[in-house]
């Protein structure tokens, strides 16, 4: 039976385009708020005996979590065969350890909740830091997709004589891959986070790269502090204005505006999180990821 793809939140166009690519049905959800702010949900598209896929980015996750779990449970209750989640951005990987006594390890809790609601998960470049893979915390099968080739292609097409710059050691996994795919050089800075919004960066000798256009690459821009500091460092070293490229356009508060004001030549992100800076699309990647989820017992059609 043909699978049904629902937009879990408001990414209707993404769900429709994904359904189209998969030859699946684009499902419709009726939803509203009760006066006391509880959520009413109704799956208008029949799901009995079908594979069901919910699509939705998990940025700003707290108000989304209850809806996500209710939707998955409703689909299961209505007879869905398997219930999968396509989360182009996966939240709650930051607090992946207990640094101070009493802290909640939210990465583990969030993973447990999602794993109990869904049969499988497809996501793009999760922010893995101390975990080697999602399997350390997710008990369901997961497919991790990588946007580096898309970022590399965008850089190759839009940045003249690029030098790919990673603002910290963590970014090296993306930066090295982007630079390799684009066939250009890269450097990586050293970062110390001083506070949520402040970081200190140290750069290697940048003199040999003065003729290049820096393309700063990171998985996520959140407060923007890392990219802003990196732009300043490049400017002080006498390099041209940098272009900021990220997979996930989180942009807390006015981070995007502050990044532009800090002198970014351009800010380019993938569409894992809808944002005006989106310049390259992960749609085809997601469709491939869902197809590979057939290995988890899911049929796209
Ligand atoms: C570091 O762990 C990440 O790769 C990013 O550099 C970081 O999350 C960006 O955060 P912000 O924009 O708040 O500096």
């Amino acid at each position: 039976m043909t699978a049904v793809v629902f937009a879990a939140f408001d990414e209707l166009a993404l769900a429709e385009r994904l359904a189209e690519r998969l030859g699946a049905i684009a499902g419709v959800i009726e939803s509203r708020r009760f006066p006391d702010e509880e959520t009413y949900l109704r799956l208008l598209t029949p799901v009995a005996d079908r594979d069901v896929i919910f699509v939705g980015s998990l940025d700003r996750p707290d108000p989304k979590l209850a809806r996500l779990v209710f939707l998955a449970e409703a689909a299961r209750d209505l007879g869905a065969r398997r219930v999968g989640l396509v989360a182009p951005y996966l939240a709650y990987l930051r607090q992946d350890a207990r640094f101070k006594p009493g802290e909640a390890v939210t990465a583990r809790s969030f993973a447990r909740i999602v794993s109990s609601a869904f049969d499988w998960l497809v996501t793009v470049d999760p922010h893995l830091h101390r975990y080697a893979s999602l399997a350390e915390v997710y008990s369901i099968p997961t497919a991790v997709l990588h946007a580096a080739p898309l970022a590399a292609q965008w850089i190759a097409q839009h940045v003249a004589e690029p030098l790919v710059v990673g603002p910290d050691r963590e970014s090296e996994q993306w930066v090295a891959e982007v630079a390799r795919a684009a066939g250009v050089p890269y450097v990586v800075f050293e970062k110390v986070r001083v506070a949520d919004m402040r970081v200190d960066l140290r750069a290697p000798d940048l003199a040999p790269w003065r003729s290049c256009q820096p393309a700063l690459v990171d998985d996520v821009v959140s407060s923007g502090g890392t990219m802003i500091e990196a732009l300043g460092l490049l400017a002080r070293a006498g390099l041209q204005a940098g272009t900021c490229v990220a997979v996930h356009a989180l942009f807390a508060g006015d981070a995007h505006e502050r990044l532009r004001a800090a002198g970014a030549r351009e800010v380019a992100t993938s569409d894992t999180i809808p944002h005006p800076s989106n310049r390259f699309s992960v749609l085809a990647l997601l469709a491939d990821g869902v197809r590979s989820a057939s290995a988890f017992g899911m049929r796209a059609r």
Side-chain angles (χ1 to χ4, degrees), residues 98-111:
R98 179 168 293 123
F99 304 102
K100 295 182 193 154
E103 281 181 347
V105 184
T106 46
R108 275 210 296 265
S109 308
F110 190 78

Side-chain angles (χ1 to χ4, degrees), residues 94 127 167-168 170-171 174 191 193 196 199 218-227:
R94 179 186 299 272
H127 188 77
D168 56 25
E170 282 171 37
S171 70
W174 294 283
K191 173 168 94 177
R193 187 167 286 278
D196 278 355
V199 296
D218 212 343
D219 61 332
V220 57
V221 183
S222 180
S223 70
T226 303
M227 286 277 194

Side-chain angles (χ1 to χ4, degrees), residues 16 21 24 30 35 41 66 76 81 92 99 111 119 130 144 157 168 196 236 246 260 272:
E16 271 171 26
R21 283 205 172 230
E30 180 187 339
L41 293 167
R76 219 178 279 288
R81 205 175 80 86
Y92 276 114
F99 304 102
D119 292 309
R130 274 159 288 262
V144 169
Q157 287 168 354
D168 56 25
D196 278 355
R236 289 192 294 280
R260 298 305 306 251
T272 57

Side-chain angles (χ1 to χ4, degrees), residues 87-153:
Y89 174 75
L90 185 63
Y92 276 114
L93 284 162
R94 179 186 299 272
Q95 185 86 31
D96 54 4
R98 179 168 293 123
F99 304 102
K100 295 182 193 154
E103 281 181 347
V105 184
T106 46
R108 275 210 296 265
S109 308
F110 190 78
R112 208 165 13 242
I113 294 168
V114 171
S115 297
S116 66
F118 292 92
D119 292 309
W120 52 264
L121 164 70
V122 170
T123 191
V124 180
D125 289 316
H127 188 77
L128 295 172
H129 186 186
R130 274 159 288 262
Y131 301 138
S133 84
L134 288 178
E136 284 186 44
V137 276
Y138 282 80
S139 57
I140 52 174
T142 57
V144 169
L145 311 168
H146 300 287
L150 302 172
Q153 196 179 18

Side-chain angles (χ1 to χ4, degrees), residues 87-282:
Y89 174 75
L90 185 63
Y92 276 114
L93 284 162
R94 179 186 299 272
Q95 185 86 31
D96 54 4
R98 179 168 293 123
F99 304 102
K100 295 182 193 154
E103 281 181 347
V105 184
T106 46
R108 275 210 296 265
S109 308
F110 190 78
R112 208 165 13 242
I113 294 168
V114 171
S115 297
S116 66
F118 292 92
D119 292 309
W120 52 264
L121 164 70
V122 170
T123 191
V124 180
D125 289 316
H127 188 77
L128 295 172
H129 186 186
R130 274 159 288 262
Y131 301 138
S133 84
L134 288 178
E136 284 186 44
V137 276
Y138 282 80
S139 57
I140 52 174
T142 57
V144 169
L145 311 168
H146 300 287
L150 302 172
Q153 196 179 18
W154 188 90
I155 290 170
Q157 287 168 354
H158 295 88
V159 183
E161 205 188 330
L163 169 69
V164 175
V165 177
D168 56 25
R169 282 281 149 211
E170 282 171 37
S171 70
E172 186 159 8
Q173 49 188 312
W174 294 283
V175 168
E177 175 62 16
V178 167
R180 193 198 53 74
V184 299
Y186 77 90
V187 293
V188 172
F189 296 171
E190 296 290 340
K191 173 168 94 177
V192 179
R193 187 167 286 278
V194 189
D196 278 355
M197 304 282 284
R198 253 198 65 218
V199 296
D200 275 349
L201 297 182
R202 305 259 178 284
D205 179 18
L206 293 169
W209 308 111
R210 288 223 172 96
S211 65
C212 295
Q213 262 193 42
L216 290 85
V217 174
D218 212 343
D219 61 332
V220 57
V221 183
S222 180
S223 70
T226 303
M227 286 277 194
I228 290 171
E229 189 61 29
L231 284 171
L233 210 157
L234 288 163
R236 289 192 294 280
L239 274 79
Q240 306 173 43
T243 295
C244 299
V245 181
V247 179
H248 304 299
L250 260 185
F251 294 117
D254 61 352
H256 184 234
E257 293 70 29
R258 289 191 301 107
L259 199 50
R260 298 305 306 251
R265 184 187 293 267
E266 185 166 3
V267 182
T269 61
S270 87
D271 58 357
T272 57
I273 299 173
H275 188 269
S277 64
N278 292 167
R279 295 289 181 277
F280 44 97
S281 177
V282 296

